[in-house]
Amino acid sequence: MAFSIELETINGQAKLTLIGELDGGTAPLFKEQIETAAQADITKLVLMMDQLEYMSSAGLRVLVFAKQKMGTGVEIFLVGTQEMVNDTIEQTGLHQSFHMVDSYDFAV
């Protein structure tokens, strides 16, 4: 499946919806959207991952980049990760650096 990503800002929060397979070929698109989100005045970065079917080490590197780029003032949420993606994140220990949740309410 192809990869697509959509960025929108809601109530001072950046929402990135990731769909498909995130690998070495598509990771630059993800990184570009992280850089765009970092320029906005946000307090939370919400990655909607329920439609992300696969994430390679290149995707993990962009997650690390996002954590560094956003800094300590921005909370990062990984929402609805599928089992295979979740396993990849947990095996690397990155799950300790993000808020891993099943759902997210943008009204809050």
Side-chain angles (χ1 to χ4, degrees):
M1 174 183 237
F3 177 76
S4 67
I5 186 167
E6 180 182 320
L7 170 64
E8 53 186 310
T9 304
I10 304 166
N11 299 330
Q13 304 164 80
K15 173 186 172 188
L16 280 171
T17 303
L18 293 84
I19 300 171
E21 298 181 0
L22 178 56
D23 57 23
T26 57
L29 298 172
F30 183 27
K31 184 178 180 187
E32 180 181 299
Q33 292 299 320
I34 293 293
E35 290 174 337
T36 300
Q39 295 174 1
D41 185 23
I42 59 169
T43 58
K44 294 178 182 164
L45 174 64
V46 182
L47 304 177
M48 304 301 294
M49 302 178 86
D50 58 317
Q51 297 179 71
L52 185 66
E53 298 172 357
Y54 171 81
M55 181 168 51
S56 72
S57 60
L60 292 172
R61 285 191 294 276
V62 178
L63 285 179
V64 171
F65 170 78
K67 185 74 174 166
Q68 295 170 340
K69 186 78 172 172
M70 294 298 165
T72 58
V74 177
E75 293 180 276
I76 301 177
F77 293 82
L78 307 184
V79 182
T81 55
Q82 292 189 22
E83 186 176 349
M84 185 170 29
V85 173
N86 193 56
D87 288 349
T88 302
I89 293 168
E90 286 187 1
Q91 288 175 4
T92 61
L94 283 176
H95 66 286
Q96 298 175 8
S97 299
F98 303 97
H99 300 284
M100 309 266 309
V101 297
D102 293 329
S103 62
Y104 186 86
D105 183 3
F106 287 94
V108 176

